């Protein structure tokens, strides 16, 4: 584009409902109508509710987390999930049982773990969230060195789940049956592993979950007695998701 002068150039991206011509048919807006919208239109409003001060979370009758707008600390969550810091294995649960790791939690909604999995904000607009609720856009890179210590084969499944947000339960997750219609998680995940024949596999799965929904298995493995096998999970936390989510390892009954 060639400019007639060296003056500043202003660019705006806008949308409006199409004006109607006589007879009720829609027509293209004129330049004057665009200028009027830009100068006098009620744009990008209203503002969302301001967040509850973090010091008031425990006593507030209703906690408002607020919209996230700013720069959060960190961009990647990388972990090797093991039984403890001094072991290299993640022992699978007994048959018919499961355990879960929280992926995305909020204050007053840590599922009884006390772990707030939301990054602090380094810079934020004054009336927006104090934490990066949901860790939008954060890369999760999690390795699970699954180990079957028993003398019997074990069938293990891995899933992402969206339980009900709560703080009091220490040893259980609660779900709706059926789950609500509202979608709380929607995005792709990648699982990398060696299958039961020893062949390297990489699978991309688009996960859609509603509030209170138990997750379907992302992968199913049959571990031999004493076998250890790595399972890698990678995802970018979807920007339109709503916490909490958990990563669940379950050992099925039987074989």
């Amino acid at each position: 584009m060639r400019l007639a002068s060296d003056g500043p150039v202003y660019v705006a991206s806008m949308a409006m409902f199409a004006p109607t011509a006589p007879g009720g048919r829609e027509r293209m807006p004129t330049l004057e109508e665009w200028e009027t919208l830009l100068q006098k239109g009620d744009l990008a409003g209203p503002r969302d509710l301001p967040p509850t001060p973090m010091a008031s979370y425990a006593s507030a009758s209703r906690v408002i987390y607020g919209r996230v707008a700013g720069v959060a600390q960190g961009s990647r969550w990388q972990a090797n999930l093991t039984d403890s810091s001094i072991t290299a294995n993640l022992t699978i649960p007994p048959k018919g049982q499961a355990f879960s790791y929280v992926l995305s939690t909020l204050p007053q909604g840590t599922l009884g773990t006390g772990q707030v999995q939301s990054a602090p904000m380094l810079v934020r607009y004054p009336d927006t969230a104090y934490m990066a609720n949901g860790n939008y856009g954060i890369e999760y890179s999690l390795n699970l060195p699954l180990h079957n210590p028993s003398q019997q084969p074990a069938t293990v499944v891995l899933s992402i789940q969206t339980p009900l947000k709560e703080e009091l339960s220490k040893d259980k997750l609660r779900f709706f049956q059926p789950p609500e219609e509202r979608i709380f998680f929607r995005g792709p995940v990648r699982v990398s592993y060696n299958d039961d024949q020893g062949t390297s596999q990489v699978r991309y799965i688009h996960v859609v979950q509603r509030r209170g929904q138990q997750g379907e298995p992302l992968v199913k493995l049959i571990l031999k007695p004493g076998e250890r096998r790595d399972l890698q999970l990678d995802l970018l936390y979807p920007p339109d998701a709503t916490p909490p989510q958990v990563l669940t390892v379950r050992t099925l009954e039987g074989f």
Side-chain angles (χ1 to χ4, degrees):
M1 179 175 65
R2 185 175 181 178
L3 303 178
S5 69
D6 294 330
V9 176
Y10 300 95
V11 178
S13 176
M14 298 184 298
M16 73 163 72
F17 290 106
T20 54
R25 297 190 63 181
E26 294 181 350
R27 62 171 176 81
M28 183 181 298
T30 65
L31 177 59
E32 290 75 17
E33 288 170 329
W34 283 117
E35 291 175 342
T36 298
L37 175 67
L38 178 62
Q39 296 170 6
K40 300 181 179 180
D42 184 15
L43 307 178
R47 298 288 292 177
D48 203 357
L49 296 174
T52 302
M54 296 184 67
S56 303
Y57 276 6
S59 59
S61 58
R62 178 192 177 195
V63 173
I64 299 173
Y65 295 103
R67 295 289 182 182
V68 179
V71 179
Q73 179 177 332
S75 61
R76 191 181 193 206
W77 193 315
Q78 185 175 16
N80 189 46
L81 306 181
T82 60
D83 296 338
S84 71
S85 60
I86 60 173
T87 63
N89 295 331
L90 180 61
T91 302
I92 62 174
K95 290 187 177 182
Q97 297 185 30
F99 57 73
S100 300
Y101 292 93
V102 291
L103 289 180
S104 178
T105 54
L106 305 167
Q108 304 299 306
T110 68
L111 304 173
T113 66
Q115 300 176 26
V116 177
Q117 306 286 31
S118 294
M121 301 297 293
L122 302 178
V123 180
R124 51 179 283 273
Y125 284 95
D127 59 346
T128 61
Y130 294 101
M131 306 185 76
N133 306 325
N135 288 334
Y136 301 141
I138 296 297
E139 178 187 358
Y140 285 78
S141 182
L142 308 175
N143 181 61
L144 291 77
L146 300 174
H147 176 234
N148 175 17
S150 73
Q151 301 301 311
Q152 300 293 328
T155 302
V156 181
V157 296
L158 180 77
S159 61
I160 291 175
Q161 303 191 98
T162 303
L164 302 182
K165 180 170 74 71
E166 62 178 356
E167 185 65 28
L168 299 179
S169 297
K170 300 293 185 180
D171 58 355
K172 61 183 177 182
L173 300 174
R174 295 194 304 134
F175 300 90
F176 283 139
Q177 184 59 40
E180 280 192 359
E181 286 299 316
R182 289 184 296 167
I183 293 176
F184 268 39
F185 186 96
R186 174 173 45 209
V189 301
R190 181 178 68 187
V191 288
S192 309
Y193 59 97
N194 287 338
D195 64 19
D196 296 335
Q197 287 72 46
T199 303
S200 177
Q201 301 285 349
V202 177
R203 297 184 60 203
Y204 293 85
I205 305 162
H206 187 76
V207 177
V208 178
Q209 288 190 353
R210 291 166 168 78
R211 179 173 179 247
Q213 182 171 352
Q214 292 181 275
E216 297 293 327
L218 301 174
V219 63
K220 181 167 69 173
L221 303 174
I222 300 177
L223 299 184
K224 300 174 183 177
E227 182 181 1
R228 178 188 183 276
R229 200 184 316 179
D230 284 359
L231 174 61
Q232 177 77 24
L233 174 78
D234 297 280
L235 64 94
L236 294 177
Y237 192 81
D240 64 343
T242 302
Q245 278 78 38
V246 300
L247 179 65
T248 297
V249 178
R250 180 180 301 276
T251 303
L252 303 182
E253 292 277 10
F255 171 64

